[in-house]
Amino acid sequence: ITVKIRLGCEADTINCSEVVRTLRNAGAAAITIHGRTAQQGYSKPADWDLIQKVVQEGYEEGFGDIPVVGNGDILTHYEAT
């Protein structure tokens, strides 16, 4: 199973590290993290540093073989090419 999550619901409830840890332990094959909270919508850039932190935690905890994909900041098909 693959899963896509956000950083959290609101800026003061960012819980992506805990959620990703739970998903890895449950057997997720891959995880995508959208780099903003639900509350932030498109109001700020994705938090690539936090996504990188979650990736690093995976390596440190022995889950480096489970891909973590960062997502966000691509608003048009022109930016994706």
Side-chain angles (χ1 to χ4, degrees), residues 4-5 7 18 24 30 32 34 37 49-50 52 60 71 75:
K4 182 176 179 182
I5 67 167
L7 298 180
E18 295 84 0
R24 287 176 175 136
T32 299
H34 184 78
T37 66
D49 291 335
L50 186 51
Q52 177 59 38
E60 292 169 1
N71 176 258
L75 304 176

Side-chain angles (χ1 to χ4, degrees), residues 3-38:
V3 183
K4 182 176 179 182
I5 67 167
R6 289 184 172 269
L7 298 180
C9 289
E10 299 173 353
D12 61 347
T13 59
I14 291 176
N15 62 351
C16 58
S17 288
E18 295 84 0
V19 171
V20 169
R21 186 173 296 112
T22 299
L23 294 170
R24 287 176 175 136
N25 287 324
I31 302 163
T32 299
I33 303 173
H34 184 78
R36 289 185 287 272
T37 66

Side-chain angles (χ1 to χ4, degrees), residues 29 58-59 62-67:
Y59 282 104
F63 289 102
D65 59 325
I66 299 174

